[in-house]
Amino acid sequence: MSRSRTKYFWAALVALVAVILSASAWAQQAMPPQQRMPQGAVNQPSARTPGGGSGQIAMRVDGEKYGPVEMRRDGKEFRGEFWVANDGTGPLNVTRLALRTSATDPRLPGGAIVAFDDGKTIATIQPNAAKKAIVRWEVDKAGGVTELYGHVIAESDTSDRRVAAMGIHAEVELGGSPWLFNHILSWLTFLPVLGMLAIFVMYLMGYKKDENLKWLGVGLMGVELILAIWLFWAYNNGIGRAAGNDGFQFIEHGVWIRSLNVEYFVGVDGTSISMVLLTALVSFVASIASFSVKTKLKGYWAMYFLLVTGMFGVFVSLDLFLFYMFWEIMLLPMYFLIGIWGGPRKEYAAIKFFLYTLAGSVFMLLAFIALYYNADPTYLVDGSPVLHSFSIPELMRVDFLGKNLTILTMSFVKVIWVVLFVGFAIKVPMFPFHTWLPDAHVEAPTAISVILAGVLLKMGTYGMLRLNFGLLPEATQWAAPAIAVFGVINILYGAFCAMAQEDLKRLVAYSSVSHMGYCLLAMGALTPHGIEAAIVQMFNHGTITSMLFTLVGVVYDRAHTREIGKFGGMATEMPFYTAFFGFAFMASLGLPGMSGFIGEALTFVGAFPVYPVMTILAASGVIFTAAYHLWAMQRIFLGKFREDWRTSHALEDTGGKFPEMNFREAMSLAPMAIIVLVLGFWPRPLLNLIDTGVMDLTALVNPPGASQIAHLGDMASKALALLH
Amino acid sequence: MNSFSLDNLQSLTWFFPEIAITVGVIAVIIWDLISAGLNRIRGIVVITLASLLTSGFLSLAYLMRQLAGLTPSMSLFGGLLAFDPFSHLFRMLFAFVAAIVIVFASPSSETGAGTRKRRGAGEFFTLLLIITLGLNLMVMSRNLLMIYLSLEVVSVISFVMAGFKIDNRKSAEGALKYVIFGGMASGIMLYGMSWLFGISQSLDIGEIGNQIAMATAQNGRVPLVILLGVVCMLGGLGYKISAAPFHMWTPDVYEGAPTSITAFLSVGPKAAGFAVLIRFFEEGVKATTHYDGRLTPWAMIAGLIAMATMTVGNFTALHQSNIKRMLAFSSIAHAGYMLLGFCVFDQQGKQAIMFYLLTYALMNLGAFLVVAAVAERNGGNEDIATYNGLGSRSPVLAIMMAIFLFSLTGLPPFAGFIGKFYIFASLLHVGGRWNWILATVGVLNSVVSLFYYARVVRAMYLTKPDDKRALTVRVSWGTTIVALAVPTLALGIYWAPIYDFMTASLLIGR
């Protein structure tokens, strides 16, 4: 379409959105209320009580159609009011007004109380009358929790014993700018989308200086990084599940699609916080590495931003539907980023990546639907009762095993577990689903390789921890040995494959396969140490492998080849580069003093008590890892420099010399190098961050039973004592 | 019969959407005769659009009245037609689809509308209005004879429209195949109807339903005669929705017909076919997935057809190099997905199909519009190779096409994903072994479909253009494309109002 006509489209677009919005609003209004009930909502009219009329309980907030009650701060305490009403024709006895929480399942942070305005928790309400109830929350008693999402429930003596609920919400304003900091996760997730829209507007306005877009990219990713650092600073790592809100922080929770019980529900806990930080870090570094992309920059940055949105979204979403949306949204930009800006076989690599991941995730979708329909009745955040829910914390409470369900005559939990696991394993990638990875890596542009290895692979393991471990702990115990076996296969197979590679990028790709194997082995152990190791390894591999891919990109930009055999004696040509490269390789092979070592060592500590033989096998993998790293280094950097480079076509511009790394390249490596070094000597900040989450997760998959207390618990506490 | 069965005269009050279209038909013919020049085509387009919009808004008004409880569901013309929210919703959909097709067809030379030399443009628009009338009658029919008649109205006019490119051999070939297959399918359906009539002594599908239920209860299972009759009916309706094994005509007709007609045929008659299927199986067969703890033959047959349709459609589409042929096979595959929702025979499945039909209408019409726009600038060449480098030749058009194609694949955040989600959810909601198998085959098929949709995306973005010049699009088409792409995206992000509205409106009233 010619540019002169784009204004028509612009106008049409705006007009259409307006028409749709107004039409939908009108349709919503025109519908009688009883037809607006959510699907599966519990809405039976209350049965008649003897003696004429019957009471029917309902809870309302002033002026709002739906809850939750927004509690307002009043000095030290939060305070909110709502009405318990009787919609029936007879008197209603409210027998109990209470918070939806218990000692065994603490849903709420401490310090909250609810009562009617006369201080009692029982009341008799006449027909068509309502009684005011007051909910209060003393933040000081909440043990550091600064927000509260929960429900007040009211039981009445109507014969159906219907329990009504009202959502309550309180939140301490953070950092002086609640519009930003109280919605930090949404900002992190959707800020890149704003960048994308900005690019679209630039296109419509006919902006031509595409090379300036990289500053938009770096700037936006810088803002993301700053927000993430604020998140790191503000995250309270002492809060676990017992502290209420299911251990999540920075929660945002609202109803998205009422008829499907889908909520916009995001939050971070010990399992995801490190991944959110990693995402911000890697996408910032990769945005610097993106400077080497020179063509179709509008498209590149638009896709890059969408990818970042998808990544953040996956790590923060706590609703299965939302999770799936983000999980899939990532595929589109990735396909284009590899397919358009990639290497010679980009088309093959792009579609292979797309098909592999989609094949895994469509089955995941079926698993999500199955989980949804077999979930227990609960309440949405606004208090509306629902039969099923996509909310991950709610699904974590469902005893799927106890329901004795079957799928195609096989055990429900096992089938669902395997389906989810395979979906995630493709992303990890786990042997035998790994074959897309080397292709995708080799063909992807440097920055995208960095993101792919640095963040996308972690989504697989994160998904396992969040969903396989979180939702189906019993099946996890059943399958744990298999995870560990696959982990060991990954470690050894990846290492052997890496050894055989001539292409430096392929070598690094296979090293990723190998390193993700440690995560799997560690996870499979189900010990506190194992799970901690898995997360630590995820974070550390993300930082280290980002460096590796950036370094490969640096040499490729100069030599236009990555064939290891063509290099030699590069140490004399690019000493600074060699130093960085050596540092990254040493970190990758697990040299003590660098962060790579921490993950591996923790893995062995965590896995050894459970799988001694496999751990020994895996540890032998370290030797192979060292072998291929050192061998590759030796071939590239040591020995004599090949003089034919002097006359090579690739180095024409620089007079036959390899130019040293420039400032930009160094800047894209330095942050990661510092983190690798700091965490290598002092992993406490990272461990502190995830400790509570790990403990909660371990308690779920590995509850201390009679046999386990002696075995695992003891080992674990000893090991933890050693490390801390 | 029914508690609310109106006689012919009373019925006319509730028949205004159809009357509006009929008036439109007559008005177009008259205008075509009395005007000349550019005014002629302008007037025709205005008249057709006006009558369609009137029809659509009247249906909406009826729907609103019924939702507000002002008018009960009833039977018109002594039980021939139904007046219920279900049919209103479909009539609105048809008015919308036909209106889009009018915009689509009006500037195109393929339909004879753009040129004044060959023949009157009035012909095309008259036919389009009549076919819409036929579709409206189809979704309202609750009488075997009425089903047959309305189906034939739609079929006969479809034959004519498929062959509208008069000097094109492919168009003629497609039309002829269409006629032969259509004749055969009608014959089979009529045969099935005669069985059903013979057994139940009634043409009213509600009465047939009672008879079937009684016979099923007596025998403990569905009697073979009834099974035979219903399967024959399914043959005729399967032909309309191009379900395997009655899909053979689809690719040739879709390829040969003018693109606007292809777009119409791929959405309108298909939706009507589903409406009749749903109504017939709900009212006439009273089908359920399980009877007495066992899978009913209905669920079995519908499931088998669904699986076959999806698989045939998707796997054949993989090898196509002509984009219209590819989209033809893809539309077969989409009929298969919708049949999955049909297999469960419940309210949720119905909602899923309805929502899917809406999203499918948006994305399929959009995709065909892009096809027409690209083909027009490539001398009528519909090869996928003509899409090479479209991403740089016409960025907005390529983005829109990518949205439609990814939505057809069923990827979030596009409407197609939500449609598929509801389909699979309706299967797993009922559960059971058979439905799990169906769902598994369904998702596998959507992975396969990615491959051929991605081929077009690959051509648009990953391949270098053969011709670097910018590709321009007519303003009316471009606007319509954007107008279809925006809801395709918007409904993938927030679809609650539309879905809730449909849920409320999907009642088949007696």
Side-chain angles (χ1 to χ4, degrees):
Chain A
M1 261 167 268
S2 67
R3 195 170 300 290
S4 65
R5 285 185 178 166
T6 41
K7 61 174 182 286
Y8 290 109
F9 295 108
W10 201 220
L13 199 131
V14 172
L16 206 86
V17 169
V19 167
I20 288 173
L21 286 181
S22 50
S24 59
W26 174 71
Q28 192 92 323
Q29 287 304 313
M31 237 183 294
Q34 69 271 17
Q35 264 140 345
R36 238 176 285 141
M37 278 313 288
Q39 167 213 344
V42 189
N43 186 32
Q44 64 273 61
S46 67
R48 291 193 163 270
T49 44
S54 64
Q56 190 176 359
I57 192 163
M59 296 212 229
R60 295 203 182 88
V61 195
D62 260 347
E64 303 273 339
K65 194 158 127 203
Y66 295 108
V69 181
E70 293 294 338
M71 296 161 70
R72 288 189 208 300
R73 187 153 198 169
D74 181 14
K76 272 187 178 177
E77 72 168 17
F78 279 88
R79 189 186 151 92
E81 292 173 356
F82 59 96
W83 298 88
V84 180
N86 181 0
D87 286 354
T89 49
L92 174 81
N93 287 317
V94 179
T95 51
R96 181 165 162 259
L97 184 73
L99 294 162
R100 187 178 177 224
T101 181
S102 68
T104 49
D105 181 11
R107 287 167 183 270
L108 292 175
I113 44 167
V114 66
F116 285 111
D117 52 0
D118 54 9
K120 292 185 193 150
T121 56
I122 53 169
T124 304
I125 304 171
Q126 293 309 313
N128 294 322
K131 198 166 169 65
K132 189 188 266 182
I134 296 166
V135 56
R136 280 199 290 266
W137 180 44
E138 285 181 59
V139 193
D140 295 350
K141 293 188 186 166
V145 182
T146 57
E147 64 191 328
L148 173 147
Y149 276 95
H151 296 100
V152 173
I153 50 172
E155 292 167 9
S156 57
D157 67 347
T158 47
S159 55
D160 59 351
R161 303 266 160 221
R162 190 170 148 222
V163 180
M166 172 52 76
I168 50 174
H169 171 222
E171 201 159 321
V172 178
E173 292 186 357
L174 298 172
S177 310
W179 56 273
L180 172 64
F181 293 117
N182 281 46
H183 302 280
I184 183 91
L185 295 181
S186 291
W187 279 105
L188 272 176
T189 310
F190 293 108
L191 201 57
V193 173
L194 293 183
M196 212 178 139
L197 289 178
I199 292 177
F200 186 60
V201 172
M202 280 181 196
Y203 164 75
L204 289 178
M205 287 165 49
Y207 185 78
K208 288 278 182 230
K209 292 181 191 152
D210 278 6
E211 61 276 18
N212 291 342
L213 280 177
K214 61 191 178 197
W215 299 115
L216 174 69
V218 173
L220 209 57
M221 292 305 122
V223 174
E224 296 269 287
L225 186 60
I226 290 167
L227 290 180
I229 289 168
W230 183 86
L231 188 73
F232 171 66
W233 172 78
Y235 180 82
N236 184 339
N237 53 37
I239 294 173
R241 281 190 85 185
N245 296 334
D246 295 296
F248 292 105
Q249 296 177 46
F250 305 101
I251 303 171
E252 284 159 59
H253 201 166
V255 180
W256 173 20
I257 306 293
R258 193 172 291 281
S259 59
L260 194 61
N261 309 337
V262 176
E263 293 172 298
Y264 178 73
F265 186 10
V266 296
V268 285
D269 69 349
T271 318
S272 52
I273 178 78
S274 60
M275 289 299 107
V276 173
L277 299 180
L278 181 68
T279 308
L281 205 59
V282 172
S283 39
F284 175 68
V285 169
S287 72
I288 301 179
S290 298
F291 281 31
S292 56
V293 176
K294 301 286 184 206
T295 53
K296 301 180 185 167
L297 285 171
K298 282 199 191 86
Y300 178 85
W301 284 107
M303 289 295 117
Y304 188 92
F305 291 154
L306 189 59
L307 181 65
V308 174
T309 290
M311 294 191 297
F312 275 113
V314 164
F315 288 129
V316 301
S317 48
L318 297 176
D319 183 280
L320 282 185
F321 200 93
L322 196 64
F323 178 90
Y324 188 80
M325 286 280 245
F326 283 123
W327 181 272
E328 293 278 279
I329 280 174
M330 247 166 18
L331 296 183
L332 297 178
M334 210 58 198
Y335 171 78
F336 288 113
L337 286 168
I338 299 175
I340 300 179
W341 292 274
R345 290 169 73 232
K346 57 194 184 180
E347 295 178 14
Y348 168 76
I351 194 70
K352 192 172 179 183
F353 165 81
F354 207 157
L355 283 175
Y356 261 71
T357 328
L358 189 69
S361 56
V362 289
F363 285 105
M364 226 158 74
L365 178 67
L366 289 190
F368 286 177
I369 299 173
L371 285 169
Y372 169 74
Y373 278 121
N374 292 300
D376 293 334
T378 180
Y379 304 96
L380 295 186
V381 64
D382 62 2
S384 22
V386 291
L387 282 179
H388 319 293
S389 161
F390 279 110
S391 151
I392 292 175
E394 288 304 327
L395 287 167
M396 283 170 81
R397 295 192 166 86
V398 179
D399 178 16
F400 288 106
L401 184 70
K403 296 190 175 197
N404 283 322
L405 305 160
T406 56
I407 295 174
L408 302 171
T409 68
M410 289 172 283
S411 156
F412 176 88
V413 283
K414 288 181 186 173
V415 173
I416 297 293
W417 193 93
V418 171
V419 168
L420 290 178
F421 184 74
V422 170
F424 295 131
I426 290 173
K427 206 85 167 188
V428 168
M430 185 184 85
F431 176 88
F433 308 112
H434 65 285
T435 57
W436 64 268
L437 181 83
D439 289 312
H441 267 311
V442 169
E443 301 308 328
T446 302
I448 303 310
S449 283
V450 168
I451 288 195
L452 187 57
V455 182
L456 259 64
L457 305 191
K458 278 77 206 170
M459 284 180 186
T461 38
Y462 168 77
M464 288 175 190
L465 287 176
R466 174 68 76 214
L467 299 182
N468 285 62
F469 280 51
L471 304 187
L472 304 163
E474 296 87 359
T476 307
Q477 288 167 6
W478 162 74
I483 310 179
V485 169
F486 278 113
V488 173
I489 294 176
N490 253 35
I491 295 171
L492 296 177
Y493 178 85
F496 280 123
C497 283
M499 222 182 271
Q501 298 310 318
E502 267 303 304
D503 184 324
L504 187 57
K505 212 169 177 186
R506 254 189 133 75
L507 180 143
V508 178
Y510 274 110
S511 86
S512 287
V513 174
S514 178
H515 281 116
M516 291 311 282
Y518 291 104
C519 290
L520 291 173
L521 172 65
M523 253 185 235
L526 303 187
T527 53
H529 251 89
I531 293 173
E532 184 144 23
I535 299 178
V536 167
Q537 174 75 358
M538 275 151 73
F539 187 87
N540 290 341
H541 177 249
T543 48
I544 295 169
T545 205
S546 304
M547 285 172 69
L548 291 177
F549 278 111
T550 315
L551 286 162
V552 174
V554 167
V555 73
Y556 181 75
D557 284 345
R558 287 157 176 69
H560 301 296
T561 180
R562 292 180 298 250
E563 209 175 310
I564 298 174
K566 287 198 178 158
F567 296 101
M570 294 285 283
T572 53
E573 280 289 300
M574 300 167 73
F576 191 54
Y577 175 72
T578 309
F580 257 116
F581 203 99
F583 176 84
F585 258 36
M586 289 307 148
S588 178
L589 68 78
L591 192 73
M594 306 213 194
S595 67
F597 172 73
I598 308 293
E600 285 176 25
L602 264 172
T603 304
F604 297 141
V605 173
F608 188 75
V610 194
Y611 309 114
V613 179
M614 275 195 268
T615 311
I616 291 166
L617 268 175
S620 73
V622 175
I623 300 166
F624 302 117
T625 310
Y628 69 78
H629 278 110
L630 294 175
W631 195 37
M633 271 201 69
Q634 180 199 335
R635 288 200 289 165
I636 297 173
F637 294 102
L638 308 181
K640 257 180 77 69
F641 183 71
R642 292 190 165 211
E643 289 304 322
D644 50 345
W645 277 111
R646 298 282 180 230
T647 52
S648 101
H649 193 64
L651 299 182
E652 249 171 19
D653 297 346
T654 51
K657 281 180 70 70
F658 274 100
E660 188 49 275
M661 277 196 332
N662 58 30
F663 179 71
R664 172 186 67 82
E665 287 161 341
M667 278 324 290
S668 68
L669 289 164
M672 293 301 190
I674 292 167
I675 288 171
V676 166
L677 203 60
V678 168
L679 289 183
F681 280 103
W682 192 50
R684 255 309 78 204
L686 179 59
L687 297 178
N688 274 344
L689 205 60
I690 63 180
D691 264 349
T692 325
V694 167
M695 285 306 170
D696 285 342
L697 210 52
T698 319
L700 212 61
V701 288
N702 201 356
S707 61
Q708 283 167 332
I709 287 175
H711 187 193
L712 292 173
D714 201 30
M715 286 306 270
S717 56
K718 270 183 199 161
L720 277 176
L722 269 174
L723 238 122
H724 287 186
Chain B
M1 289 250 259
N2 301 311
S3 49
F4 283 103
S5 185
L6 305 185
D7 65 24
N8 289 354
L9 219 54
Q10 289 167 323
S11 300
L12 286 180
T13 326
W14 307 108
F15 200 55
F16 277 123
E18 286 68 34
I19 293 174
I21 295 177
T22 320
V23 170
V25 170
I26 298 165
V28 168
I29 293 173
I30 294 173
W31 183 261
D32 197 22
L33 291 172
I34 62 170
S35 67
L38 204 55
N39 267 344
R40 184 163 78 173
I41 179 74
R42 280 186 188 154
I44 288 171
V45 169
V46 167
I47 294 169
T48 13
L49 279 179
S51 71
L52 284 170
L53 290 182
T54 315
S55 161
F57 276 106
L58 283 172
S59 309
L60 180 65
Y62 287 165
L63 183 56
M64 284 305 169
R65 276 186 74 86
Q66 293 218 282
L67 288 184
L70 298 174
T71 315
S73 290
M74 50 202 176
S75 286
L76 305 182
F77 300 107
L80 285 182
L81 296 179
F83 181 89
D84 52 10
F86 179 75
S87 60
H88 304 323
L89 200 59
F90 272 93
R91 287 192 280 180
M92 280 157 59
L93 181 71
F94 297 143
F96 167 72
V97 171
I100 296 280
V101 171
I102 301 273
V103 177
F104 193 159
S106 51
S108 158
S109 58
E110 282 181 335
T111 53
T115 59
R116 264 156 285 154
K117 61 180 181 204
R118 206 181 64 198
R119 56 180 165 179
E123 209 169 296
F124 179 84
F125 294 95
T126 316
L127 290 176
L128 197 65
L129 281 181
I130 299 176
I131 202 171
T132 313
L133 180 66
L135 295 177
N136 278 2
L137 293 176
M138 252 171 100
V139 297
M140 297 166 78
S141 311
R142 56 165 40 135
N143 182 295
L144 288 187
L145 209 57
M146 199 59 219
I147 291 178
Y148 180 74
L149 284 177
S150 53
L151 207 85
E152 283 304 287
V153 169
V154 174
S155 293
V156 169
I157 294 178
S158 307
F159 303 152
V160 179
M161 294 183 107
F164 220 80
K165 288 203 285 193
I166 231 161
D167 39 8
N168 183 310
R169 285 181 65 103
K170 271 197 172 158
S171 188
E173 182 196 330
L176 191 63
K177 278 192 187 169
Y178 204 9
V179 172
I180 294 170
F181 268 100
M184 201 183 77
S186 307
I188 293 175
M189 191 170 82
L190 212 50
Y191 184 63
M193 285 179 174
S194 66
W195 277 95
L196 292 178
F197 177 68
I199 290 158
S200 61
Q201 297 295 315
S202 171
L203 286 171
D204 180 74
I205 58 175
E207 185 56 33
I208 294 172
N210 296 337
Q211 299 281 348
I212 291 181
M214 217 148 68
T216 310
Q218 274 169 8
N219 292 350
R221 61 192 186 82
V222 181
L224 200 60
V225 248
I226 289 172
L227 194 62
L228 198 71
V230 174
V231 168
C232 287
M233 285 277 301
L234 209 56
L237 296 171
Y239 154 83
K240 266 272 143 295
I241 60 171
S242 62
F246 314 102
H247 66 284
M248 264 80 119
W249 57 274
T250 319
D252 291 314
V253 172
Y254 283 18
E255 191 188 346
T259 311
S260 51
I261 294 304
T262 309
F264 186 75
L265 291 181
S266 71
V267 180
K270 192 166 280 192
F274 270 103
V276 176
L277 260 184
I278 290 170
R279 189 188 288 279
F280 181 69
F281 272 79
E282 184 171 323
E283 272 190 61
V285 182
K286 297 197 175 14
T288 50
T289 46
H290 290 83
Y291 182 80
D292 225 3
R294 279 173 305 161
L295 198 67
T296 57
W298 314 128
M300 191 69 158
I301 292 167
L304 285 174
I305 293 180
M307 283 200 282
T309 309
M310 284 185 296
T311 316
V312 166
N314 279 323
F315 279 87
T316 330
L318 288 178
H319 309 292
Q320 305 305 323
S321 60
N322 179 302
I323 190 149
K324 265 165 88 179
R325 251 184 122 73
M326 189 203 89
L327 285 175
F329 282 109
S330 113
S331 86
I332 296 176
H334 283 278
Y337 299 132
M338 286 183 255
L339 276 170
L340 286 181
F342 172 70
C343 290
V344 294
F345 306 114
D346 65 0
Q347 192 63 21
Q348 209 184 335
K350 223 159 67 181
Q351 290 161 14
I353 293 179
M354 192 61 222
F355 191 78
Y356 201 99
L357 273 172
L358 175 75
T359 61
Y360 172 75
L362 293 172
M363 58 205 186
N364 219 40
L365 286 174
F368 272 116
L369 258 168
V370 176
V371 168
V374 174
E376 193 185 32
R377 297 283 180 257
N378 283 296
N381 188 348
E382 286 151 359
D383 226 52
I384 294 183
T386 57
Y387 288 76
N388 287 353
L390 194 68
S392 55
R393 293 182 66 192
S394 177
V396 174
L397 194 65
I399 290 173
M400 299 301 149
M401 187 62 168
I403 289 178
F404 295 131
L405 291 174
F406 283 127
S407 181
L408 284 166
T409 317
L411 289 176
F414 303 113
F417 165 69
I418 310 300
K420 271 201 182 134
F421 176 87
Y422 278 118
I423 295 274
F424 295 133
S426 70
L427 280 175
L428 298 192
H429 174 61
V430 176
R433 189 184 308 180
W434 184 238
N435 287 337
W436 267 97
I437 294 172
L438 291 178
T440 311
V441 175
V443 293
L444 276 178
N445 262 292
S446 33
V447 178
V448 174
S449 74
L450 168 70
F451 198 77
Y452 60 84
Y453 292 125
R455 273 179 59 202
V456 183
V457 177
R458 187 185 69 181
M460 291 194 302
Y461 285 102
L462 274 53
T463 319
K464 288 225 164 11
D466 314 318
D467 175 3
K468 282 209 177 352
R469 282 172 302 160
L471 190 141
T472 54
V473 183
R474 292 169 188 283
V475 175
S476 68
W477 282 6
T479 317
T480 318
I481 290 171
V482 175
L484 290 167
V486 169
T488 304
L489 183 60
L491 284 182
I493 293 165
Y494 191 67
W495 62 96
I498 304 281
Y499 184 81
D500 293 347
F501 181 72
M502 287 186 166
T503 307
S505 323
L506 267 182
L507 287 172
I508 292 185
R510 280 306 293 179

